[in-house]
């Protein structure tokens, strides 16, 4: 079959990888100049490794990603270094990696700490078959009820508000459960960056006769040249590409709100965070939700000895930060960075920063999302949708994008062919 793949992120490349090996004629359309979508990377010329525009790591249970890495003979490049996850609360940093960290988390009473530990263990052990029922309850309600008001206010509410803003009270508990269930103590990375895997996939696709058109947004008039189209770009782009889709369908997929990811990457001479890789900011007076120091996971020697820290945010469409320059944003963030590290002074320590926007990066999963979730099948006979809104209840990640791409490939082969 002649198959068009829209989008060269992990989903699109995974579908193309499978289908090109099965002798289909593949053309990938990518509106940007590079592969990778939300996981795409960049590199300063003096760096040895590429870094993602938005922080990325794998969990040890990301089996689709790890198996693909093996299949592409990149296993020797995959590594799981030690890393520290912490919480910033009440102007202090608390490690939050292990049961011991929970038990010694002093902002909570001993009783609340024990209860938190027990509830985290419960969520970890709860099987998916039972956890999926939790999608009918909001995370806020469930967490308040089971962790207690105080633990909810200190640990979870700031994160829900930080990430989902006005939707914080509507996110369902199945999604929250999946975040706890999936997390592993060790976090992995690929020597050279995620770009290595993306490039290997593209090489394989090309070796099997596939082609890629960069800087080429897909348009519906191209449909006539293909037997199947696998559309992996966001639902917003899907509706825009196919304005003739039936209204009820358009309304349904347009009713899933999305947040944009906005990451300011600080490239500094000195360390902003001493040892923490991931620092959740549990103080909603701060204008960002996390600091992620890549070079506390990966040796800074690969980046010409510089320290790389993302200042992370998720923002709704129309938020004023989305229109700001990196300098304007840095000026807003800087006093808060100084609250975390009093030595952090822009002139002394920030060498450079880069600003990245990941559009439609986080769908909001309301209660009862399973009914709203888009399907591979669309009202258009030849067109399959396979995008981030379908990764549920698991938190969107490259592992699930790879799985989704593989499944979409199977779906394409099972579809009736074009006339
Ligand atoms: C801040 C942040 C942190 C993350 N952290 C992690 C992590 O630690 N680990 C992890 O595994 N995952 C992480 N992820 C998630 C991961 O990046 C995504 O789940 C994954 O990359 C999604 O891949 P995709 O192919 O489905 O979508 P995308 O990457 O969005 O790819 C869609 C592609 O379609 C293209 N496109 C859009 N419109 C058109 C059009 N009209 N025509 C042609 N092309 C078009 C886009 O340019 C893009 O390349 C993170 C994401 C973000 C934003």
């Amino acid at each position: 079959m002649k198959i068009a793949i829209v989008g060269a992120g992990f989903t699109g490349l995974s579908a193309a990888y499978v289908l090109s090996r099965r002798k289909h004629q593949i053309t990938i359309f990518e509106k940007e100049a590079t592969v990778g979508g939300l996981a795409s990377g960049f590199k300063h010329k003096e760096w040895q490794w590429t870094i993602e525009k938005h922080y990325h790591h794998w969990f040890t249970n990301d089996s689709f990603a790890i198996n693909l890495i093996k299949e592409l003979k990149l296993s020797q490049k995959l590594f799981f270094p030690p890393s520290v996850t912490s919480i910033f609360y009440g102007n202090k940093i608390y490690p939050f990696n292990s049961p011991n960290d929970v038990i010694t988390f002093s902002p909570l009473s001993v009783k609340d700490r024990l209860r938190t530990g027990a509830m985290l263990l419960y969520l970890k052990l709860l099987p998916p078959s039972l956890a999926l029922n939790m999608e009918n309850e909001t995370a806020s309600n469930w967490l308040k009820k089971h962790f207690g008001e105080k633990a909810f206010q200190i640990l979870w509410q700031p994160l829900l508000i930080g990430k989902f803003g006005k939707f914080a009270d509507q996110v369902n508990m199945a999604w929250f459960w999946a975040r706890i269930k999936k997390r592993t103590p060790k976090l992995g990375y690929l020597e050279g960056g995620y770009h290595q895997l993306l490039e290997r996939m593209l090489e394989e696709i090309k070796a099997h006769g596939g082609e890629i058109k960069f800087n080429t947004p897909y348009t519906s008039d191209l449909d006539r040249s293909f037997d199947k189209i696998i559309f992996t770009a966001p639902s917003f782009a899907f509706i825009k590409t196919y304005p003739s889709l039936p209204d009820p369908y358009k309304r349904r997929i347009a009713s899933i709100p999305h947040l944009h990811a906005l990451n300011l990457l600080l490239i500094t001479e000195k360390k902003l965070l001493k040892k923490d890789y991931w620092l959740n900011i549990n103080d909603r007076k701060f204008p960002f939700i996390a600091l992620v120091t890549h070079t506390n996971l990966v040796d800074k020697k690969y980046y010409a000895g510089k320290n790389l820290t993302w200042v992370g945010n998720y923002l709704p469409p129309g938020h004023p930060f989305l229109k700001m320059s990196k300098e304007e944003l840095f000026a807003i963030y800087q006093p808060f960075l100084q609250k975390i590290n009093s030595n952090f002074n822009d002139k002394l320590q920030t060498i450079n920063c880069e600003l990245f926007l990941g559009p439609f990066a986080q769908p909001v999963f309301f209660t009862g999302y399973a009914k709203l979730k888009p399907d591979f099948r669309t009202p258009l006979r030849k067109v399959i949708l396979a995008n981030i809104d379908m990764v549920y209840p698991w938190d969107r990640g490259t592992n699930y994008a790879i799985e989704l791409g593989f499944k979409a490939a199977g779906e394409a082969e099972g579809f009736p062919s074009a006339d």
Side-chain angles (χ1 to χ4, degrees), residues 3 22 56 97 108 121 173 226 243 249 279 285 308 373 378 391:
I3 303 178
R22 291 194 195 139
H56 272 74
N97 299 285
L108 289 178
L121 183 66
M173 186 58 201
F226 296 96
Y249 179 83
L279 182 68
K285 289 193 280 306
L308 305 181
K373 188 174 93 138
T378 70
V391 175

Side-chain angles (χ1 to χ4, degrees), residues 5-13 29-32 34-40 54-59 62 194 216-219 231-234 237 241 261-263 277-278 313-314 358-362 386-388 391 395-401 404:
I5 311 268
V6 183
F10 267 103
T11 304
L13 288 185
F29 294 84
E30 170 52 57
K31 82 173 169 53
E32 302 294 337
T34 55
V35 287
L38 293 173
S40 63
H54 307 277
Y55 41 82
H56 272 74
H57 54 253
W58 281 295
F59 296 127
D62 276 338
Y194 274 49
T216 312
Y218 190 78
T219 50
F231 198 99
T232 73
T241 307
L262 188 71
N263 272 299
Y277 163 60
W278 189 287
N313 245 330
Y314 285 96
F360 304 97
Q362 176 66 61
N387 74 13
I388 206 160
V391 175
D395 194 31
R396 83 276 178 281
T398 53
N399 181 61
Y400 296 107
L404 189 69

Side-chain angles (χ1 to χ4, degrees), residues 188-290:
Y189 198 68
L190 199 65
E191 284 177 21
Y194 274 49
H195 195 68
Q196 296 288 318
L197 176 58
L198 292 158
E199 281 297 329
R200 270 297 288 126
M201 291 167 84
L202 188 58
E203 251 172 58
E204 278 294 306
I205 293 163
K206 286 182 178 165
H208 287 87
E211 64 165 335
I212 185 159
K213 293 180 189 292
F214 286 114
N215 302 309
T216 312
Y218 190 78
T219 50
S220 59
D221 55 311
L222 293 162
D223 280 8
R224 71 176 83 94
S225 312
F226 296 96
D227 301 305
K228 289 280 169 327
I229 298 95
I230 301 181
F231 198 99
T232 73
S235 295
F236 168 81
F238 187 51
I239 297 172
K240 220 172 128 196
T241 307
Y242 294 104
S244 62
L245 278 163
D247 282 341
Y249 179 83
K250 279 198 279 194
R251 270 199 301 276
R252 182 177 138 209
I253 62 169
S255 73
I256 304 165
H258 291 83
L259 301 159
H260 302 315
L262 188 71
N263 272 299
L264 186 71
L265 181 67
L266 307 179
I267 304 164
T268 61
E269 198 68 66
K270 291 191 186 156
K271 276 191 175 197
L272 172 58
L273 296 179
K274 232 184 269 162
K275 56 180 173 31
D276 316 274
Y277 163 60
W278 189 287
L279 182 68
N280 277 324
I281 307 296
N282 285 35
D283 179 343
R284 284 291 45 90
K285 289 193 280 306
F286 275 57
F288 49 84
I289 62 166

Side-chain angles (χ1 to χ4, degrees), residues 70-358:
K70 270 190 202 145
E71 197 172 297
L72 292 170
K73 310 228 175 328
L74 291 170
S75 300
Q76 74 287 358
K77 290 185 177 237
L78 181 65
F79 64 109
F80 287 85
S83 62
V84 179
T85 298
S86 305
I87 289 178
F88 183 79
Y89 176 77
N91 290 326
K92 260 184 86 176
I93 294 179
Y94 298 89
F96 212 76
N97 299 285
S98 64
N100 188 50
D101 292 339
V102 176
I103 295 305
T104 55
F105 184 68
S106 58
L108 289 178
S109 68
V110 174
K111 191 172 143 232
D112 279 338
R113 291 181 222 167
L114 290 171
R115 188 171 173 186
T116 295
M119 287 322 301
L120 285 172
L121 183 66
Y122 170 77
L123 291 173
K124 259 293 183 238
L125 297 177
L126 196 69
S129 54
L130 295 178
L132 281 174
N133 294 330
M134 292 169 140
E135 78 149 19
N136 296 316
E137 186 161 7
T138 65
S140 300
N141 277 348
W142 198 97
L143 294 166
K144 245 182 261 173
K145 217 171 9 188
H146 292 87
F147 281 78
E149 190 71 43
K150 192 79 185 163
F152 174 68
Q153 276 172 15
I154 291 179
L155 289 174
W156 310 126
Q157 193 177 33
L159 300 183
L160 285 169
I161 294 176
K163 187 155 196 175
F164 293 106
K166 67 173 181 175
F167 302 113
D169 280 339
Q170 296 173 63
V171 174
N172 81 46
M173 186 58 201
W175 175 83
F176 190 94
W177 161 82
R179 301 252 346 184
I180 303 286
K181 179 81 176 171
K182 191 69 192 18
R183 214 185 155 74
T184 56
K186 287 199 166 172
L187 306 177
Y189 198 68
L190 199 65
E191 284 177 21
Y194 274 49
H195 195 68
Q196 296 288 318
L197 176 58
L198 292 158
E199 281 297 329
R200 270 297 288 126
M201 291 167 84
L202 188 58
E203 251 172 58
E204 278 294 306
I205 293 163
K206 286 182 178 165
H208 287 87
E211 64 165 335
I212 185 159
K213 293 180 189 292
F214 286 114
N215 302 309
T216 312
Y218 190 78
T219 50
S220 59
D221 55 311
L222 293 162
D223 280 8
R224 71 176 83 94
S225 312
F226 296 96
D227 301 305
K228 289 280 169 327
I229 298 95
I230 301 181
F231 198 99
T232 73
S235 295
F236 168 81
F238 187 51
I239 297 172
K240 220 172 128 196
T241 307
Y242 294 104
S244 62
L245 278 163
D247 282 341
Y249 179 83
K250 279 198 279 194
R251 270 199 301 276
R252 182 177 138 209
I253 62 169
S255 73
I256 304 165
H258 291 83
L259 301 159
H260 302 315
L262 188 71
N263 272 299
L264 186 71
L265 181 67
L266 307 179
I267 304 164
T268 61
E269 198 68 66
K270 291 191 186 156
K271 276 191 175 197
L272 172 58
L273 296 179
K274 232 184 269 162
K275 56 180 173 31
D276 316 274
Y277 163 60
W278 189 287
L279 182 68
N280 277 324
I281 307 296
N282 285 35
D283 179 343
R284 284 291 45 90
K285 289 193 280 306
F286 275 57
F288 49 84
I289 62 166
L291 294 182
V292 185
T293 298
H294 183 69
T295 42
N296 283 345
L297 183 75
V298 170
D299 198 315
K300 64 179 183 181
K301 71 180 179 194
Y302 302 113
Y303 310 94
K306 304 292 185 268
N307 296 286
L308 305 181
T309 301
W310 288 278
V311 187
N313 245 330
Y314 285 96
L315 300 165
H319 192 285
F321 285 6
L322 297 169
K323 288 222 170 90
M324 288 185 185
S325 67
K326 57 187 184 180
E327 292 80 11
E328 287 169 323
L329 205 56
F330 183 76
I332 291 176
Y333 289 169
Q334 205 263 334
F336 293 90
L337 296 170
Q338 244 172 329
K339 287 187 188 188
I340 295 170
N341 178 345
S342 55
N343 294 323
F344 191 77
N345 172 313
D346 57 343
K347 290 188 190 66
L348 280 179
Q349 300 194 354
T350 299
I351 301 246
N352 197 348
C353 60
E354 305 272 0
L355 185 60
F356 299 109
L357 174 69

